[in-house]
Amino acid sequence: ALGYSSAGSVVAVGGHVLGLQPSDRVACAGADYASHAEFVAVPRNLVAKIPDGVSDLEASFTTIGAIALQGVRLADPKIGETFLVIGLGLVGQIAAQILQANGCLTIGYDLNPDLVTRSETYGVHGAETVGLAEDQCLRLSNGRGIDGVIICAGTSSNELIELAGQVT
């Protein structure tokens, strides 16, 4: 089964499940549970009620947001710190916005200029090359190096790890 994030309405609950009932709208997470299917069986700890005013479509992205949020939490950013987000796909875009909301100066690096431009619309300082990312990090940290890096990109190269070390 494909997917690890879904949303919909509860059809039935097991006898030991508390806090949910049929017809409740829920967001679900978890590989091998919250797959893209008409019906799924998801453990209670991987289900959250959807608040009023949030659509099922919006709620279906909860897991993606949680992945970005966990990365930011582990980085433990402080107000006023400078962070680089490497990879501005969906998880990177969300991570960059969480950092911005946390009061961090945020630099975003991606090879795709459209993703860089998208991140710049909410205040991220964009970079489309490793050299520009390094320059942005040095310039915006007054030459001292940035406070943290969150990598949201995949590659078989060591280049991104090396970049993270160089700019911090």
Side-chain angles (χ1 to χ4, degrees), residues 19 35 40 45 59 65 87 128 157:
S35 55
V40 294
N45 66 321
E128 299 169 19
S157 165

Side-chain angles (χ1 to χ4, degrees), residues 15-100:
H16 297 288
V17 173
L18 301 175
L20 291 176
Q21 60 187 17
S23 79
D24 283 345
R25 292 180 333 112
V26 294
C28 309
D32 298 325
Y33 294 110
S35 55
H36 302 170
E38 193 168 341
F39 293 95
V40 294
V42 181
R44 176 64 178 102
N45 66 321
L46 298 177
V47 175
K49 285 186 180 182
I50 300 172
D52 292 338
V54 176
S55 72
D56 287 0
L57 177 63
E58 292 165 327
S60 69
F61 288 93
T62 300
T63 304
I64 305 278
I67 291 167
L69 181 59
Q70 179 65 3
V72 172
R73 282 182 176 157
L74 290 173
D76 194 24
K78 306 291 186 262
I79 293 172
E81 289 187 332
T82 303
F83 269 77
L84 170 64
V85 176
I86 299 175
L88 294 171
L90 186 54
V91 173
Q93 295 284 341
I94 295 169
Q97 290 180 58
I98 293 169
L99 287 165
Q100 291 283 106

